[in-house]
Amino acid sequence: MSRLTVRGFDIHKGFLTPEVQRSLITALRPVLKAAPLFSPEVPGGGQMSVRMTSAGTFGWFSDKTGYRYAETHPAGTPWPPIPSEVLAIWTAVSGCDRAPECCLFNFYGEGARMGLHQDKDEADFSYPVVSISLGDDGLLRLGGTSRKDKTESIWLNSGDVVVMGGEARLAYHGVDRIRFKSSRLLPKGGRVNLTLRVVT
Ligand code: SIN
Ligand code: MN
């Protein structure tokens, strides 16, 4: 395990042991069963290449009319609870006493990517966003609080945990590409990224 800070992003490399990574995947299976992955539409038209779902009181959602948090899955059902194994990571790294209300589950299959964006649909930016990477490697691009700021990139591997707080809370970030099948955590390949957020 090692820890580095890049532009205020607090990066814990190798924070989760392979055993913990496997137990997280097991704990997430019922989440996917209760709240299947879907491909959100984006306001400009088209669909995201990343498939998503959520756990918690709120799930992140996007359609033609914009980005927001919703209390139900598109199927109309409530989001399942955030697994305790996931909450334990928030407790270990977030440095805050409030529990997250949303665990966004992003699945990157072969060729999926996520454009540069800020996480700003939450009410209070004094709470960090905690990101957990599982499965295939992903190239995270990190910028500043303006879209025009210079960016740098870092590979995230399975078991890495990133805390976006303080100056990095509203920093632009995105995932340019994944190395499909670089990890054997998910037998069929792909990258899972969980982000924990206080929403209200
Ligand atoms: C996100 O910004 O929601 C995901 C970041 C990542 O996949 O590492
Ligand atoms: Mn984000």
Side-chain angles (χ1 to χ4, degrees):
M1 185 178 130
S2 61
R3 189 168 173 179
L4 63 151
T5 306
V6 180
R7 293 164 165 252
F9 288 74
D10 187 12
I11 303 169
H12 302 256
K13 298 292 296 175
F15 190 77
L16 308 170
T17 63
E19 192 185 342
V20 170
Q21 294 170 38
R22 284 191 293 271
S23 72
L24 284 166
I25 295 298
T26 302
L28 290 163
R29 283 193 205 291
V31 170
L32 292 176
K33 198 151 187 232
L37 293 170
F38 57 94
S39 305
E41 285 184 288
V42 287
Q47 278 185 328
M48 297 183 71
S49 58
V50 176
R51 292 194 293 148
M52 296 183 175
T53 190
S54 291
T57 317
F58 298 99
W60 190 83
F61 185 74
S62 165
D63 65 12
K64 285 187 207 65
T65 66
Y67 306 124
R68 63 190 173 277
Y69 283 94
E71 284 179 60
T72 54
H73 184 274
T77 47
W79 305 103
I82 303 176
S84 57
E85 292 88 341
V86 177
L87 292 173
I89 300 167
W90 170 271
T91 304
V93 300
S94 71
C96 73
D97 49 14
R98 229 179 118 180
E101 297 165 299
C102 171
C103 173
L104 174 64
F105 181 120
N106 288 157
F107 180 76
Y108 298 74
E110 190 169 14
R113 54 184 299 281
M114 184 175 290
L116 208 62
H117 67 278
Q118 293 171 294
D119 289 357
K120 56 176 186 189
D121 300 317
E122 301 74 28
D124 186 342
F125 302 133
S126 67
Y127 295 104
V129 170
V130 170
S131 142
I132 301 162
S133 292
L134 296 167
D136 291 341
D137 305 340
L139 186 60
L140 180 71
R141 185 190 288 267
L142 310 172
T145 51
S146 162
R147 189 177 277 284
K148 291 178 294 196
D149 290 343
K150 246 188 25 212
T151 63
E152 55 193 287
S153 297
I154 176 167
W155 280 101
L156 293 180
N157 311 109
S158 195
D160 292 353
V161 175
V162 180
V163 183
M164 299 183 269
E167 56 168 308
R169 177 61 183 79
L170 287 172
Y172 277 87
H173 57 280
V175 176
D176 288 340
R177 61 195 160 95
I178 69 161
R179 277 187 193 125
F180 189 63
K181 294 221 163 159
S182 51
S183 158
R184 292 205 297 209
L185 185 67
L186 305 172
K188 294 180 193 155
R191 172 174 186 261
V192 170
N193 178 263
L194 306 174
T195 43
L196 295 166
R197 301 127 182 269
V198 172
V199 174
T200 57

